[in-house]
């Protein structure tokens, strides 16, 4: 009997190794975060990570989880609920706001104080009030374009997207025109230093706080007994605090501050990101220009909503802190843990949006989270939409051959945590004359 060959033992098949978590918050990530967010949605939809500041936080990336999280009353906006004293060291929230006594604003408080303060300012952002402000927004838009139309080139961030919302929100608040350049400088410092050295931001916050305290005092001294039609917002806050609404001076200053801070940068990025998206999607841009030429605003309205979804101005919703243990997306979140909803990831979730990586200005089913959800839904969203629609429509109409002046790969995105926006947006176009009949000596 001969020996039979032994059957060979099959080699052990190694188990597939999980894909490595993509690197987050690098400069390369800032240029295009969407592939990393797609990985997180699929493999780790509620993901714990260490942020560049050193704070550990949960990132929520799926649409359904994000919408639930934004409305969950167990997640507080008050940084006092943070399990670590990081907020006291300036590593969460806005740098310098604590030292400047500006903490009591809508992004840092919960009901009932949030309900009370939001009610006081919401009347400034009603559809009717915003509609009344539309001619001023158009005037600002045309004035800024007049400033560079004859040159054939511009940086649309610094010459257009940035100054437009600064002047608009200053007008609403009642900051005198002669003081608005100071606000422009302080706001510019806040944008330039996000994601980098924080000292410049804190200094700007301190200067803004000092100015607001003085402005509130001056307006209180000159306040008439009865409000005039269209009274500015700071005067309205003073009147409320003087007539039983229990609004302290710190609350009034903090409210004015956050409306300035949050009210300009979101719109800067909406205009900047939106213009960039249109310039890099020529088919969609042509559709919109034809629609505007036919005096049809329907595509403009749905288009701005699509631009908010596709590459919106707010990448992560502002800080939330668990007040008790809870479960998000299958993960246990402990009391005191910070939670950040990644709006940019949720708004490209294929479980919610068909073809989420495709820009479609006519998209109808578009309940994006670009301005949040729940009681902290962005108060100034109606004004931002008006500014975005006016800016884009006027740019594309007055400068129809607008084009990028550099390769898209040369553009740099700011590296901050919350906002998403370009540092610069150089463009070229055929030089155009100022609008006929415009008084060139007029000011913004």
């Amino acid at each position: 009997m001969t020996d039979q060959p032994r059957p060979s033992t099959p080699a052990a098949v190694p188990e597939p190794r999980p894909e490595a978590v993509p690197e987050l918050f690098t400069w390369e990530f800032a240029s295009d975060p969407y592939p990393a967010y797609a990985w997180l949605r699929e493999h780790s939809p509620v993901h714990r990570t260490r942020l560049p500041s050193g704070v550990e936080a949960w990132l929520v990336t799926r649409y359904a989880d994000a919408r639930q999280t934004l409305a969950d009353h167990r997640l507080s906006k008050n940084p006092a609920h943070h399990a670590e004293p990081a907020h006291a060291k300036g590593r969460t929230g806005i740098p310098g706001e604590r030292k400047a006594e500006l903490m009591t604003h809508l992004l840092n408080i919960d009901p009932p104080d949030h309900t009370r303060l939001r009610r006081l300012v919401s009347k400034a952002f009603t559809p009717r009030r915003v509609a009344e402000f539309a001619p001023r927004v158009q005037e600002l838009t045309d004035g800024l374009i007049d400033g560079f139309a004859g040159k054939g080139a511009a940086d649309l961030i610094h010459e257009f997207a940035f100054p437009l919302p600064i002047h608009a929100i200053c007008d609403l608040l009642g900051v005198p025109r002669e003081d608005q350049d100071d606000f422009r400088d302080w706001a510019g410092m806040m944008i330039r230093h996000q994601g980098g050295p924080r000292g410049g931001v804190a200094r700007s916050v301190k200067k803004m706080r000092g100015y607001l305290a003085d402005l509130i005092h001056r307006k209180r001294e000159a306040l008439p007994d009865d409000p005039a039609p269209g009274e500015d917002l700071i005067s309205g806050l003073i009147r409320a605090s003087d007539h039983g609404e229990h609004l302290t001076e710190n609350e009034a200053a903090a409210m004015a501050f956050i409306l300035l801070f949050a009210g300009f940068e979101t719109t800067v990025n909406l205009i900047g990101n939106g213009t960039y998206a249109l310039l890099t999607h020529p088919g969609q841009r042509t559709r919109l220009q034809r629609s505007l030429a036919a005096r049809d605003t329907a595509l403009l309205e749905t288009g701005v909503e699509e631009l908010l979804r596709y590459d919106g101005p707010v990448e992560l919703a502002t800080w939330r802190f668990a007040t008790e243990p809870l479960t998000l997306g299958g993960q246990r979140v402990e009391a005191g843990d910070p939670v950040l909803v990644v709006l940019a990831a949720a708004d490209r979730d294929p479980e919610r949006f068909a073809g989420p990586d495709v820009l479609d200005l006519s998209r109808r089913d578009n309940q994006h989270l670009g301005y949040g959800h729940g009681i902290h839904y962005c108060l100034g969203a109606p004004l931002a939409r008006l500014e975005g629609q006016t800016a884009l429509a006027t740019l594309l109409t007055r400068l129809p051959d607008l084009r990028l002046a550099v390769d898209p790969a040369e553009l740099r995105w700011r590296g901050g945590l919350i906002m998403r926006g370009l540092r610069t947006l150089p463009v070229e176009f055929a030089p155009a004359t100022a609008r006929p009949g415009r008084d060139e000596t007029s000011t913004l």
Side-chain angles (χ1 to χ4, degrees):
M1 182 177 181
T2 59
D3 291 338
Q4 296 294 319
R6 293 182 180 182
S8 60
T9 303
V13 178
E15 293 186 8
R17 298 177 63 184
E19 295 181 54
V21 178
E23 195 171 2
L24 306 177
F25 309 118
T26 64
W27 290 111
E28 293 78 13
F29 168 85
S31 296
D32 183 11
Y34 295 104
Y37 288 150
W39 189 97
L40 290 177
R41 277 196 311 265
E42 182 177 354
H43 298 283
S44 185
V46 178
H47 180 74
R48 189 170 177 86
T49 190
R50 183 178 294 274
L51 303 172
S53 63
V55 175
E56 290 195 0
W58 293 97
L59 303 180
V60 181
T61 56
R62 288 181 180 169
Y63 183 91
D65 293 335
R67 190 175 171 90
Q68 172 196 333
T69 301
L70 291 171
D72 196 323
H73 69 275
R74 297 170 298 176
L75 292 164
S76 170
K77 297 292 292 175
N78 188 341
H81 289 290
H82 193 179
E84 299 177 7
H87 64 279
K89 300 176 183 178
R91 292 194 291 165
T92 66
I94 301 170
E97 63 179 357
R98 178 174 294 278
K99 289 185 178 179
E101 297 183 309
L102 292 172
M103 291 291 291
T104 53
H105 58 67
L106 291 175
L107 296 185
N108 282 342
I109 57 175
D110 304 313
D113 286 337
H114 176 271
T115 307
R116 173 176 62 91
L117 293 180
R118 188 176 176 105
R119 184 181 69 248
L120 290 177
V121 296
S122 61
K123 59 187 177 183
F125 298 100
T126 62
R128 178 180 175 182
R129 182 73 184 273
V130 169
E132 291 172 349
F133 197 58
R136 175 58 177 158
V137 172
Q138 186 66 62
E139 179 187 16
L140 288 169
T141 301
D142 279 317
L144 290 167
I145 295 176
D146 285 345
F148 58 76
K151 298 188 300 181
D155 174 1
L156 284 186
I157 299 298
H158 294 287
E159 297 180 65
F160 185 61
F162 179 71
L164 172 58
I166 279 287
H167 289 296
I169 196 67
C170 281
D171 280 356
L172 270 181
L173 285 166
V175 176
R177 301 272 172 92
E178 61 270 21
D179 294 343
Q180 292 184 11
D181 283 344
D182 288 335
F183 273 88
R184 182 173 173 170
D185 292 342
W186 298 330
M189 181 66 70
M190 291 178 185
I191 283 187
R192 285 193 296 273
H193 283 265
Q194 285 198 358
R198 300 173 76 87
V201 182
R203 285 191 294 272
S204 293
V205 169
K206 184 177 180 180
K207 290 177 181 178
M208 193 177 287
R209 172 66 172 91
Y211 175 84
L212 288 172
D214 179 66
L215 181 62
I216 289 170
H217 174 75
R218 286 187 282 129
K219 283 184 175 290
R220 176 173 274 122
E221 292 291 310
L223 197 68
D225 292 336
D226 298 315
E231 183 176 65
D232 68 74
L233 186 50
I234 290 180
S235 294
L237 293 174
I238 295 168
R239 194 178 298 281
S241 64
D242 290 345
H243 291 82
E245 288 284 359
H246 310 297
L247 189 72
T248 68
E249 182 174 302
N250 277 350
E251 287 176 332
M255 184 69 72
F257 165 75
I258 200 59
L259 290 173
L260 278 163
F261 185 83
F264 85 88
E265 192 171 5
T266 52
T267 309
V268 173
N269 295 344
L270 169 58
I271 296 171
N273 298 4
T275 303
Y276 173 69
L278 291 173
L279 293 180
T280 52
H281 292 79
Q284 294 294 308
R285 175 251 190 93
T286 298
R287 287 180 65 198
L288 181 55
Q289 285 180 305
R290 289 173 177 169
S291 174
L292 294 170
R295 299 187 180 277
D296 182 357
T297 61
L299 191 63
L300 176 65
E301 293 169 4
T302 59
V304 167
E305 298 309 305
E306 174 69 345
L307 293 169
L308 284 163
R309 183 203 67 82
Y310 179 78
D311 199 9
V314 184
E315 190 165 345
L316 282 75
T318 49
W319 296 85
R320 284 165 169 78
F321 306 93
T323 59
E324 60 184 79
L326 64 145
T327 300
L328 290 176
Q331 295 284 0
R332 180 175 172 83
V333 176
E334 300 295 341
D337 282 358
V339 176
L340 291 165
V341 175
V342 188
L343 304 177
D347 279 344
R348 291 213 188 181
D349 187 342
E351 293 295 317
R352 177 59 186 83
F353 300 99
D357 295 321
V358 174
L359 180 68
D360 178 7
L361 299 185
S362 59
R363 188 184 296 268
R364 294 287 180 180
D365 182 16
N366 196 359
Q367 295 182 19
H368 62 78
L369 300 176
Y371 282 128
H373 172 67
I375 64 170
H376 289 281
Y377 182 84
C378 178
L379 187 67
L383 177 61
R385 286 186 169 99
L386 168 67
E387 291 172 338
Q389 290 177 13
T390 304
L392 293 173
T394 309
L395 267 180
L396 295 179
T397 300
R398 293 192 56 189
L399 307 174
D401 65 338
L402 190 71
R403 59 193 178 274
L404 282 174
V406 298
D407 188 281
E410 296 180 37
L411 296 173
R412 293 294 176 263
W413 297 78
R414 292 195 300 273
L417 183 65
I418 301 297
M419 299 291 183
R420 174 165 172 76
L422 287 160
R423 291 173 176 267
T424 61
L425 185 56
V427 295
E428 297 173 334
F429 45 87
T433 58
R435 290 173 298 123
R438 176 171 172 80
D439 178 3
E440 298 300 329
T441 65
S442 67
T443 63
L444 293 176

